[in-house]
Amino acid sequence: MHKDFFGVPLNLDQLSAFVNVADLGSFTAAADKEGLTQPAVSLQVKGLEQRLGVRLIERVGRRAQPTAAGLDLLVHARRLLQESAAAEEAMMPHRDGASGRVRIGSGGTASIHLLPRAIAAARKNMPNLEITVHIGNADDILRDLEANSLDIAVVALPASGRNFEIETFYEEELLAVAPAGSRMPEGGPDAAFMREKTLLLYEGGNTRRAIDTWLTGSDATTRPAMEFGSIEAIKELVAVGLGWSILPGLALKRDRAGLVATSSLKPKLTRRLGMVLRRDKHLTRGLREMMKCLRGLED
């Protein structure tokens, strides 16, 4: 239903019948075009006249022609019917599942090293799928997800929220990172060894909390020499010899020409990445495709 500026409800079926009668000059011809009976078309036009309180069609000889009011209405009726048809056409790809939109929230590492592969796979299967990525810290991303301004979040776990469905889809090792040529203990550096180094650590988030716990054996916060909001910046500073760090393995897969040395920690430290959705989220075909491609990254 559409409302004009008088607040009078306008029925699109009635408008269509009226336009066809006006164009074809005949209730019978309009009925044939609409696939209805002639009385049904007459009732549609009569109903529209009653709603608007004016006569829209009059007979001139054997033809049905629009009145002055009908001529004025035709301009608006055609536009409304065209907009209605355009709206239906715009919905066709969504109804057929051929297109859609997925809004993803993610941390920096996943967005650089994981999401491009998943997005490429999803777009290969659904070329018209619109995908947007918002990068931020986990707390902000989960707030946006709760507000439904994001469809799915890709974050380091744990993540909490009564309204969330959480699924682990990727596990990676956190590695010791040192300037190229640095001596790494056999079997990997332990927490005591790392605490003696000048540490450059990522600030905040679940990954940092896991590192703090590994280093101290409790939930106490580590006091590094420097903290940064960019893992890539930490890699560069380690490469020029300013300190050591503990970074996600994903961020180290593209080490430029061996500028840093890496090693597993002792004991090993891993983190889990998860996809988070609202429990009440409607799983469109595009969102299901994105989730499938994220699950496939482990392989």
Side-chain angles (χ1 to χ4, degrees):
M1 300 288 282
H2 176 83
K3 293 187 177 183
D4 69 359
F5 61 91
F6 289 112
V8 179
L10 294 179
N11 184 295
L12 292 174
D13 291 335
Q14 292 176 343
L15 287 173
S16 179
F18 161 67
V19 170
N20 283 326
V21 170
D23 287 346
L24 300 173
S26 166
F27 282 86
T28 301
D32 290 341
K33 182 176 180 180
E34 295 266 350
L36 301 172
T37 64
Q38 187 271 334
V41 172
S42 296
L43 284 174
Q44 294 275 33
V45 175
K46 184 177 181 180
L48 183 60
E49 290 177 331
Q50 290 174 341
R51 287 173 184 271
L52 294 176
V54 294
R55 190 171 184 182
L56 300 171
I57 296 292
E58 62 183 357
R59 290 196 175 275
V60 179
R62 300 182 64 180
R63 287 185 61 83
Q65 294 186 352
T67 63
L71 287 171
D72 285 343
L73 179 61
L74 270 175
V75 177
H76 302 286
R78 293 188 200 282
R79 187 179 73 247
L80 290 173
L81 292 172
Q82 288 171 354
E83 290 294 332
S84 174
E88 288 191 35
E89 184 177 351
M91 293 301 102
M92 285 291 290
H94 298 278
R95 186 176 67 190
D96 297 338
S99 68
R101 179 185 67 174
V102 177
R103 301 165 299 174
I104 306 170
S106 175
T109 305
S111 66
I112 294 172
H113 301 281
L114 272 183
L115 282 181
R117 290 157 50 195
I119 290 171
R123 288 292 300 274
K124 182 178 180 180
N125 295 331
M126 294 183 64
N128 294 322
L129 182 63
E130 177 188 344
I131 299 173
T132 60
V133 179
H134 171 75
I135 300 173
N137 63 60
D139 291 339
D140 290 341
I141 288 170
L142 293 177
R143 275 194 293 270
D144 289 342
L145 186 69
E146 179 67 33
N148 204 37
S149 57
L150 294 172
D151 300 309
I152 185 171
V154 176
V155 295
L157 298 179
S160 60
R162 290 180 300 173
N163 297 323
F164 292 153
E165 291 280 358
I166 302 168
E167 176 185 339
T168 300
F169 73 94
Y170 196 91
E171 185 169 355
E172 67 170 329
E173 189 176 359
L174 297 173
L175 301 175
V177 189
S182 298
R183 183 188 68 83
M184 291 285 186
E186 186 175 350
D190 59 15
F193 180 91
M194 291 298 291
R195 286 197 299 268
E196 294 298 318
K197 298 299 180 182
T198 300
L199 289 178
L200 316 175
L201 297 181
Y202 189 76
E203 57 183 359
N206 287 328
T207 301
R208 172 60 184 277
R209 283 189 281 272
I211 291 171
D212 286 346
T213 300
W214 184 88
L215 284 169
T216 62
S218 67
D219 291 331
T221 301
T222 309
R223 295 186 179 276
M226 288 183 278
E227 295 179 295
F228 301 88
S230 165
I231 287 177
E232 295 304 310
I234 294 174
K235 285 171 57 179
E236 294 295 328
L237 292 171
V238 171
V240 297
L242 292 184
W244 289 47
S245 188
I246 299 174
L247 296 176
L250 280 173
L252 300 165
K253 284 188 174 182
R254 297 179 182 176
D255 174 28
R256 292 184 294 111
L259 295 180
V260 297
T262 63
S263 169
S264 294
L265 296 166
K266 182 182 180 180
K268 284 187 177 182
L269 177 61
T270 62
R271 72 169 185 170
R272 295 176 301 127
L273 297 178
M275 58 182 94
V276 187
L277 297 92
R278 287 173 55 110
R279 292 185 187 275
D280 59 358
K281 188 67 180 178
H282 171 61
L283 297 182
T284 63
R285 180 187 167 193
L287 188 51
R288 293 196 306 271
E289 183 67 34
M290 194 70 232
M291 293 171 70
K292 182 186 79 172
C293 293
L294 286 169
R295 293 184 187 110
L297 291 175
E298 193 72 74
D299 298 330

